[in-house]
């Protein structure tokens, strides 16, 4: 098989993104250490906000503050974090429904060990000291009461 | 086959950078304008057909999935069309087929490109191992074809400059056009830098962010629209990038496509019977080349139409009253803009760039290495 021709092929492009008015406000709020959701015409609060109501397609123009704490609706434990994941130590991926929100958002819970994770538990956001307007400005959620 | 008509048309404000909107916001802007033009809302639409150029351009894979909310497509049939630069045209044709086949009554069709977020230049120039590179971007590929055309036809060198000045002047009358150069002249074009000999900077299209949308409807679903553009005929053809004996200057797929298109609409003398055409001209010399490919001029004579002024707004066959791709190029949308502008001409809604009394108009798009073709003819009068 020594005569099989091989050649390296690396393809890289530098893409850019315009976030638009809705996602842009969500990211700006994160940079300021705040969380906001999009309020639909039917009164549902979606976090993170979407530009258009997933049910009706109507524009979601109104952004409202939501709490920085909420309830874990489901979770899974990451015993061996991969490079690039939010935390280098074991953590939980969880869906967190923030206070005042009608949908849950995916983020990391820094619980230390899986025995401290429970569906229905309350968690609170921990923001980084230096923020740049990305979802990782919210470093992770922490269990609200040490048990 | 059921009759199909264009009852709503919308375009975005085209610009080099639409930083104010996301991809979703961009397609939404065009879609809402098309719906408003038709006097309809998303709830009146049965299905959505969307097109754009390769996913590698913006790096969003299968963007139609994420754009469903923005296009009111949740719970409805939605499909994506992909035929490189001709995609805006073939997307509209797929939408028309759905109406003509009786599958749907009203179809929203949308095409877009957001070049400010994209890497079109380099996405078109990957250096695959063991394959000849296509060189730098579209211009690098097409310049040798233009040189071949000039050699074959004996066209004088000023033809490309004339096309550029004509289209750039036309663009000044189009409120949606991207590139507006009020001081354009032969001299300004001639003195612009030579990018890919013989294609000068001002003989090339810009990179644009933009989207176009249309509402296509069955005869019994025109709503209150009294000036629909009737689809008289539509065709797509394609051919491989490379095969022995391929004529890339005057590709067979384009000739066959036009021939079938005319036959479908009962056109026997295209130059005389067609009043105006929006033809995909991203580099100036493609106007004379496509005039021949489309049968508007005999082989090697297309450049005479340009020099004689036949393709100007006051000529007998105005080409690209909108300013064309030379003035606005959101790649995936460019073909649909051609199709939509043709429809605007026969609806009498083209405003300052209206060709008086246009009854039959052509929309044309090509893509890839001059290998994908999409064309339609629209008419003021019901066929």
């Amino acid at each position: 098989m020594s005569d099989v021709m091989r050649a390296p092929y690396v393809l890289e492009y530098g893409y850019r993104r315009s976030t638009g008015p809705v996602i842009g406000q969500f990211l700006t709020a994160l940079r300021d250490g705040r969380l906001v959701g999009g309020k639909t015409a039917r009164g549902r609060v979606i976090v993170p906000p979407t530009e258009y109501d997933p049910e009706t397609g109507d524009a979601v123009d109104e952004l409202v503050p939501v709490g920085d704490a909420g309830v874990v609706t489901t979770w899974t434990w990451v015993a061996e974090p991969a490079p690039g994941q939010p935390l280098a130590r074991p953590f939980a991926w969880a869906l967190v429904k923030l206070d005042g929100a009608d949908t849950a958002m995916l983020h990391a819970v820094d619980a230390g060990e899986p025995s401290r994770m429970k569906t229905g538990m309350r968690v609170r956001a921990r923001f980084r000291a230096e923020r740049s307007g990305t979802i990782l400005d919210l470093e992770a959620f922490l269990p609200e009461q040490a048990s | 086959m059921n009759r199909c008509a264009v009852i709503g048309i919308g375009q975005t404000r085209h610009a080099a950078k639409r930083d104010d909107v996301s991809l979703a916001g961009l397609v939404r802007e065009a879609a809402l304008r098309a719906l408003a033009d038709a006097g309809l809302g998303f709830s009146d639409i049965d299905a959505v057909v969307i097109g754009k150029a390769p996913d590698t351009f913006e790096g969003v894979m299968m963007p139609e999935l994420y754009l469903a909310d923005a296009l009111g497509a949740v719970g409805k049939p939605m499909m994506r069309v992909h035929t490189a630069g001709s995609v805006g045209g073939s997307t509209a044709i797929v939408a028309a087929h759905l109406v003509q086949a009786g599958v749907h009554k009203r179809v929203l069709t949308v095409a877009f490109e957001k070049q400010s977020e994209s890497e079109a230049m380099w996405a078109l120039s990957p250096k695959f191992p063991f394959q000849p590179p296509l060189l730098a971007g579209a211009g690098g590929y097409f310049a040798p074809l233009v040189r071949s055309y000039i050699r074959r036809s004996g066209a004088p060198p000023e033809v490309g400059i004339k096309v550029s000045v004509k289209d750039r002047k036309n663009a000044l009358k189009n409120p949606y056009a991207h590139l507006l150069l009020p001081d354009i002249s032969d001299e300004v074009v001639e003195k612009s830098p030579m990018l890919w000999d013989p294609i000068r900077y001002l003989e090339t299209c810009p990179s644009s962010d933009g989207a176009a949308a249309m509402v296509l409807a069955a005869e019994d679903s025109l709503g209150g629209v009294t000036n629909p553009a009737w689809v008289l005929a539509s065709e797509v053809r394609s051919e491989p990038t490379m095969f022995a004996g391929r004529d890339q200057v005057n590709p067979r797929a384009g000739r066959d496509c036009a021939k079938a298109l005319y036959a479908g609409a009962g056109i026997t003398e295209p130059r005389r019977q067609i009043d105006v055409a929006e033809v995909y001209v991203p580099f100036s010399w493609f106007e004379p080349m496509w005039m021949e490919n489309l049968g508007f001029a005999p082989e090697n004579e297309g450049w005479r139409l340009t020099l004689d002024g036949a393709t100007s707004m006051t000529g007998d066959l105005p080409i690209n009253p909108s300013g064309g791709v030379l003035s606005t190029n959101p790649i995936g949308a460019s073909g649909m803009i051609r199709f939509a502008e043709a429809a605007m001409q026969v609806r009498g809604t083209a405003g300052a760039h209206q060709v008086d009394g246009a009854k039959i108009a052509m929309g044309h798009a090509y893509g890839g290495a001059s290998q994908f073709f999409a064309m339609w003819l629209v008419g003021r009068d019901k066929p």
Side-chain angles (χ1 to χ4, degrees):
Chain A
M1 292 296 283
S2 61
D3 59 344
V4 173
M5 290 171 67
R6 296 174 193 279
Y9 179 46
V10 179
L11 196 58
E12 287 182 320
Y13 303 126
Y15 294 115
R16 294 158 295 277
R17 286 290 175 267
S18 305
T19 55
V22 175
I23 313 299
Q25 284 190 65
F26 174 73
L27 296 174
T28 302
L30 278 173
R31 194 184 61 197
D32 297 341
R34 296 181 293 114
L35 287 158
V36 296
K39 191 172 183 179
T40 71
R42 295 177 179 184
R44 268 163 54 89
V45 176
I46 299 171
V47 184
T50 59
E51 288 194 82
Y52 307 104
D53 185 338
E55 290 179 52
T56 64
D58 291 338
V60 177
D61 301 320
E62 187 185 354
L63 289 178
V64 294
V66 293
D68 62 356
V71 174
V72 169
T73 63
T74 189
W75 59 277
T76 188
W77 190 252
V78 182
E80 296 174 18
Q85 290 189 330
L87 295 171
R89 56 185 171 275
F91 70 96
W93 282 121
L95 287 176
V96 178
K97 196 160 133 184
L98 295 168
D99 297 338
D102 293 296
T103 63
M105 66 181 271
L106 179 72
H107 216 297
V109 177
D110 189 7
E113 52 183 280
S115 63
R116 297 187 66 206
M117 289 299 303
K118 204 171 107 183
T119 296
M121 72 189 287
R122 285 193 59 82
V123 292
R124 185 169 291 277
R126 178 177 69 209
F127 284 94
R128 290 179 197 276
E130 288 186 12
R131 298 179 298 270
S132 59
T134 79
I135 192 66
L136 292 177
D137 288 349
L138 198 174
E139 188 175 12
F141 285 93
L142 292 173
E144 204 160 43
Q145 292 137 333
S147 57
Chain B
M1 194 158 68
N2 297 326
R3 291 190 182 94
C4 172
V6 182
I7 61 167
I9 296 171
Q11 294 182 51
T12 56
R13 178 174 61 77
H14 308 296
K17 279 187 184 164
R18 286 294 308 271
D19 283 341
D20 57 318
V21 287
S22 62
L23 284 175
L26 191 73
V27 296
R28 175 93 164 188
E29 187 176 309
L32 288 180
R33 283 181 182 158
L35 288 169
D37 187 32
L40 300 175
F42 282 119
S43 60
D44 300 306
I45 297 298
D46 302 326
V48 177
V49 182
I50 185 167
K52 77 171 297 299
D55 288 357
T56 46
F57 280 14
E58 285 93 347
V60 181
M61 298 303 123
M62 301 176 76
E64 64 277 14
L65 301 181
Y66 130 78
L67 295 172
D69 288 349
L71 295 171
V74 174
K76 294 176 186 174
M78 183 181 194
M79 72 182 290
R80 156 86 180 275
V81 179
H82 175 28
T83 60
S86 72
V87 69
S90 42
T91 302
I93 290 174
V94 169
H97 284 173
L98 289 171
V99 173
Q100 289 166 331
V103 178
H104 299 298
K105 291 291 189 186
R106 287 179 181 138
V107 177
L108 173 67
T109 185
V110 187
F112 72 96
E113 205 74 52
K114 205 160 190 294
Q115 289 222 57
S116 70
E117 301 192 13
S118 140
E119 276 297 342
M121 169 89 173
W122 298 113
L124 285 172
S125 317
K127 197 177 181 312
F128 296 113
F130 313 119
Q131 288 186 23
L134 291 181
L135 307 175
Y141 188 88
F142 291 123
L145 308 189
V146 172
R147 288 199 295 274
S148 181
Y149 173 73
I150 292 171
R151 177 181 55 77
R152 276 158 59 156
S153 68
E158 68 267 27
V159 172
I161 295 169
K162 298 282 183 197
V163 172
S164 174
V165 171
K166 168 183 72 76
D167 283 7
R168 300 196 184 294
K169 282 189 172 167
N170 287 351
L172 297 174
K173 296 178 178 175
N174 176 1
Y176 294 104
H178 166 189
L179 202 58
L180 301 174
L181 302 170
D183 299 322
I184 198 74
S185 68
D186 287 11
E187 194 185 1
V188 169
V189 176
E190 192 171 5
K191 286 188 172 166
S192 67
M194 189 64 84
L195 295 186
W196 306 275
D197 195 358
I199 303 173
R200 294 175 181 82
Y201 179 70
L202 285 175
E203 294 178 75
T204 67
C205 52
S207 291
S208 312
D209 287 359
M214 290 187 283
V215 179
L216 304 186
E219 188 175 3
D220 62 0
S221 303
L222 303 182
V225 174
T226 55
N227 61 340
W230 296 97
V231 178
L232 305 179
S234 65
E235 291 291 337
V236 294
R237 290 289 188 280
S238 60
E239 66 185 39
T241 312
M242 295 174 193
F243 60 86
R246 180 172 183 231
D247 184 354
Q248 298 198 54
V249 174
N250 193 0
R252 172 157 178 194
R255 280 183 278 132
D256 287 356
C257 192
K259 197 174 164 189
L261 183 80
Y262 301 146
I267 297 282
T268 51
E269 296 175 73
R271 169 92 186 262
R272 190 180 62 78
Q273 290 172 280
I274 294 170
D275 299 308
V276 51
E278 283 279 341
V279 177
Y280 204 105
V281 178
F283 304 100
S284 60
W285 280 94
F286 274 81
E287 175 172 298
M289 289 161 70
W290 292 146
M291 289 303 96
E292 297 172 25
N293 193 244
L294 292 170
F296 289 130
E299 195 156 9
N300 299 326
E301 304 277 326
W303 55 272
R304 293 185 193 278
L305 268 62
T306 301
L307 285 195
D308 293 349
T311 62
S312 73
M313 281 301 281
T314 52
D316 66 275
L317 182 64
I319 302 293
N320 294 327
S322 68
V325 180
L326 278 176
S327 304
T328 307
N329 190 29
I331 303 173
S334 291
M336 189 169 286
I337 297 170
R338 307 278 73 70
F339 277 47
E341 287 281 350
M344 286 160 62
Q345 289 291 344
V346 297
R347 295 183 74 195
T349 59
H353 63 285
Q354 176 71 45
V355 173
D356 286 340
K359 284 185 181 173
I360 296 180
M362 170 190 267
H364 162 276
Y366 88 98
S370 291
Q371 68 197 118
F372 305 117
F373 295 87
M375 305 172 192
W376 81 1
L377 288 171
V378 284
R380 189 180 70 183
D381 301 326
K382 187 158 77 176

